[in-house]
Amino acid sequence: MLPDYYEFSFPVKIISGMKAVNQLPGEMMAANARRPLIITDQGVAKAGLAQLVLDAFAETDLTIGGLYDQVPPESSTLLVNELAQLYRDKKCDCLVAVGGGSVIDTGKGVNILVTHGGNDVRDYRGAEMLKGPLNPMFVIPTTSGTGSEATNSAVIADPEKGVKMLFVSEFLLPRAAILDARLTLTLPPKLTAATALDALAHAMEAYLSIQKNPMSDAYTWQAVKLIGEYLPRVVRQPDDKEGRLALANASTMAGTAFSNSMVGCVHSLGHAAGAVGHIPHGVAIGIFLPIGLAFNSQRRESMVAELLLPLAGPEVYSNTPAPKRAARTVKAVRDLMDELHTLTGLPRTLSEAGVDREKAEAIAALAINDGSAMMNPVELTLDDARKLVEQAFEWQAA
Amino acid sequence: MISKENYPDIQPGKKPVKRAVNKTFLFVLGRALQSLSKHDPLIQHEVQSWPENFTLMMKVRPNGGSVALTRTDGGRLIYRGASFDEAKADVVIFLKDVEGAFDLLTGQLGIDMGYARHCMCARGDLSNTVSVVRVLNITQAYLFPRLLARRLMKRLPPIPWGRRWGLRLKAYLLGIPFGI
């Protein structure tokens, strides 16, 4: 299906390899930057991953302007404003974000301020409002899920107002994303599973979105294929470097897909369940993925059916009669979740995740106001959301 | 030799008819929203979730007309005219160009698809975006014939026949022309 009109933007250089981080100083010099501010979080620093990045600068004549390793799990506008001041005080000329979604989004926020000026990043909130490119930023993801290194958006909490601010602009995309197998090796299997399901949902929802286009479809295809092939393998063997690199690539490709073809109801429901039920994002998204696929099959049956090929492989695809392929795709996702549940204890339902049934109504009410719902192929009404949340409490055997 | 004298500046052309149509439809939209927000329970339900005194503005870039609406204490919308100060609006939805705005405002392109096609950008806190889109869809369901409205949105809002025609007539006969 070729849309009448679409836009696609992905100017990020991908540097992927077993020791890809070693290319960082060279990339910096190519961008005429010599004094980075590195930001990361405590978990990354304690796992020794920040040190890996620092080691890459050995025998260069670059000066690291500073290393900030206290980014909290939820990025905040106040921290962004402070880090922008640190960047200016230390006369830095580029940013390096080493971490997951919170660290990367914090970096994006800092980059807005240090490039376009000002002391409060909230002045730049909105969609497609940034005027012109930002300073060089390099992203080194340490999880394989958010895909934030490949997305044009940042979500930063405003602690004063108690809301999450959305920033969307193609200029938020970093200059380069460095995918290094060593950076995700220490990720525990359960977290690996949850984050990879998030990436799988990014890719699959982008394929069903009303914004879908041939370019995002191509990225979806390969992301789904890599996750289907490598996720169970990595969960079984967490030190599988090839598998880790494959998942990192899949996450970035899924991020590219949904940055250009927005996600839908799985993320609306997942965001709401995460906020109301206080469960990790990847867990919530995984729970709603098969439910959302089945729900969207009413409008996107042929597309859900097509996803069976990259997810389950050519044999399963060809052995499944065409009218049953959409349902078989949903079953393949459930099979995968069953396997991950057995291997890691990953929750498959809101009940298993410890969410109280009394919170169902609040989850449904919040979900229909989530921005992702807009790009879903089927209108997500309150009644629909209630039914889908109800389904999420019970495991439907594959 | 290439000389700059041979290459004069080229000023962009004008599309006065489409600009005028856009301004007219923005006016119609503003007055219709004001009228419908007094009576339609679906719109009222949505608007009540917006912050008090929240002002929403739509503007065709750069000077192709605008509309602003403010949520009042009672949960209704007040039309603030076509020359509201952009800096005072909480959220400004910019329609990027005259052609895209024309398609959106004349019912050739739905709000969801307009966003999907990057016809618009926005400044401000976007947490109410989905609710705003629902309100615009409900308004279009009143303003446009059912056959046309069905093409513009994924699912028509559940408006009973009697209410649809009653409020449609009221909007067209009183709300839009007289602001009642």
Side-chain angles (χ1 to χ4, degrees):
Chain A
M1 185 176 83
L2 191 67
D4 297 341
Y5 176 91
Y6 74 91
E7 294 182 10
F8 184 90
S9 171
F10 187 61
V12 182
K13 181 173 181 177
I14 301 299
I15 300 161
S16 168
M18 297 299 175
K19 294 181 178 176
V21 162
N22 292 339
Q23 303 305 314
L24 177 60
E27 288 301 319
M28 235 171 240
M29 285 188 275
N32 199 27
R34 305 187 65 81
R35 201 174 161 83
L37 173 64
I38 302 175
I39 60 171
T40 187
D41 61 39
Q42 279 273 284
V44 170
K46 280 181 181 164
L49 304 179
Q51 190 57 47
L52 267 181
V53 177
L54 295 180
D55 289 347
F57 286 87
E59 296 293 324
T60 70
D61 57 357
L62 303 179
T63 304
I64 296 165
L67 169 66
Y68 180 86
D69 63 4
Q70 302 289 325
V71 177
E74 189 172 72
S75 50
S76 100
T77 52
L78 296 177
L79 176 61
V80 165
N81 299 343
E82 283 186 50
L83 285 175
Q85 195 53 48
L86 176 66
Y87 181 106
R88 291 172 184 136
D89 292 344
K90 297 298 304 279
K91 300 190 181 345
C92 295
D93 56 11
C94 68
L95 272 163
V96 178
V98 187
S102 171
V103 171
I104 299 170
D105 284 0
T106 299
K108 287 175 178 176
V110 173
N111 214 14
I112 293 172
L113 276 183
V114 298
T115 305
H116 290 307
N119 295 312
D120 191 347
V121 73
R122 292 179 296 187
D123 295 340
Y124 293 95
R125 68 194 168 168
E128 300 186 34
M129 294 305 295
L130 292 182
K131 292 181 171 56
L134 306 186
N135 291 352
M137 178 172 165
F138 304 87
V139 173
I140 306 173
T142 58
T143 64
S144 298
T146 69
S148 193
E149 68 280 7
T151 67
N152 60 1
S153 58
V155 179
I156 303 171
D158 176 357
E160 287 176 0
K161 291 189 174 172
V163 295
K164 289 187 176 180
M165 297 281 167
L166 180 63
F167 302 80
V168 183
S169 168
E170 63 184 289
F171 301 120
L172 292 177
L173 285 159
R175 179 181 171 86
I178 299 179
L179 312 178
D180 187 315
R182 297 171 298 172
L183 272 294
T184 54
L185 271 181
T186 54
L187 210 59
K190 191 171 177 180
L191 197 53
T192 302
T195 51
L197 284 177
D198 186 24
L200 183 63
H202 291 155
M204 290 182 138
E205 288 216 282
Y207 199 73
L208 309 179
S209 167
I210 63 169
Q211 248 180 341
K212 86 186 247 94
N213 60 74
M215 302 289 166
S216 63
D217 286 354
Y219 282 91
T220 282
W221 202 259
Q222 201 55 232
V224 173
K225 187 170 185 293
L226 286 175
I227 293 168
E229 189 175 335
Y230 285 96
L231 176 55
R233 189 173 127 177
V234 171
V235 167
R236 282 197 177 85
Q237 283 185 300
D239 58 350
D240 175 355
K241 284 188 180 175
E242 185 198 336
R244 289 288 189 186
L245 196 56
L247 290 183
N249 274 266
S251 172
T252 300
M253 281 188 276
T256 309
F258 94 87
S259 182
N260 290 281
S261 175
M262 184 68 174
V263 290
C265 71
V266 172
H267 273 78
S268 311
L269 293 156
H271 288 153
V276 175
H278 305 293
I279 57 174
H281 175 73
V283 170
I285 297 296
I287 290 168
F288 281 104
L289 179 55
I291 294 167
L293 286 175
F295 176 68
N296 282 330
S297 290
Q298 59 183 292
R299 275 271 177 93
R300 294 284 204 236
E301 187 179 359
S302 64
M303 295 168 200
V304 175
E306 285 163 9
L307 290 170
L308 182 62
L309 181 56
L311 182 64
E315 277 194 28
V316 173
Y317 184 82
S318 58
N319 287 334
T320 308
K324 293 186 175 174
R325 283 180 187 150
R328 185 68 184 80
T329 304
V330 177
K331 181 181 181 307
V333 174
R334 290 194 186 282
D335 287 343
L336 178 63
M337 291 185 66
D338 259 337
E339 190 176 356
L340 296 173
H341 176 72
T342 306
L343 291 170
T344 70
L346 185 78
R348 298 164 300 178
T349 64
L350 292 177
S351 306
E352 287 177 358
V355 179
D356 197 325
R357 256 185 202 273
E358 287 177 2
K359 291 181 174 168
E361 182 63 24
I363 294 172
L366 196 58
I368 61 163
N369 288 315
D370 186 273
S372 315
M374 261 175 75
M375 296 296 110
N376 197 61
V378 182
E379 178 84 13
L380 183 69
T381 65
L382 185 58
D383 280 346
D384 291 328
R386 282 178 180 136
K387 287 174 193 160
L388 300 181
V389 172
E390 200 54 44
Q391 288 174 30
F393 278 96
E394 303 292 338
W395 180 240
Q396 294 170 15
Chain B
M1 186 176 155
I2 294 175
S3 162
K4 69 175 184 179
E5 276 71 36
N6 295 330
Y7 297 92
D9 292 351
I10 300 171
Q11 296 303 323
K14 304 279 184 198
K15 293 183 177 174
V17 175
K18 285 193 170 168
R19 178 153 39 91
V21 170
N22 286 344
K23 286 185 174 179
T24 305
F25 272 85
L26 284 168
F27 170 79
V28 168
L29 181 68
R31 281 279 180 88
L33 272 163
Q34 177 177 262
S35 171
L36 292 167
S37 72
K38 289 179 190 167
H39 307 289
D40 180 77
L42 298 173
I43 292 181
Q44 287 170 347
H45 176 74
E46 295 294 342
V47 172
Q48 273 164 8
S49 69
W50 302 359
E52 281 192 13
N53 300 318
F54 171 85
T55 298
L56 170 73
M57 188 172 181
M58 285 178 82
K59 181 176 182 182
V60 183
R61 271 182 167 171
N63 298 306
S66 69
V67 59
L69 292 135
T70 299
R71 180 220 195 264
T72 63
D73 293 349
R76 289 180 183 169
L77 292 172
I78 298 293
Y79 175 60
R80 305 295 295 272
S83 48
F84 191 80
D85 182 0
E86 185 186 313
K88 290 180 180 167
D90 295 287
V91 169
V92 186
I93 298 171
F94 296 99
L95 306 179
K96 288 181 181 175
D97 63 276
V98 66
E99 291 286 350
F102 185 81
D103 287 351
L104 273 168
L105 294 168
T106 57
Q108 296 176 65
L109 187 64
I111 307 293
D112 295 342
M113 283 310 294
Y115 185 76
R117 293 183 184 196
H118 302 267
C119 289
M120 47 189 115
C121 54
R123 173 180 65 72
D125 178 5
L126 304 182
S127 55
N128 293 318
T129 305
V130 184
S131 181
V132 168
V133 170
R134 276 198 293 265
V135 166
L136 292 174
N137 279 340
I138 295 165
T139 307
Q140 287 190 326
Y142 277 109
L143 294 180
F144 294 130
R146 196 173 167 82
L147 211 63
L148 175 60
R150 191 179 285 153
R151 289 198 305 118
L152 298 178
M153 52 199 86
K154 298 170 200 162
R155 195 182 300 184
L156 284 171
I159 307 169
W161 184 88
R163 193 205 307 157
R164 188 168 73 244
W165 276 100
L167 293 188
R168 178 181 284 167
L169 286 172
K170 184 170 187 300
Y172 273 117
L173 297 176
L174 298 172
I176 295 167
F178 303 111
I180 299 171

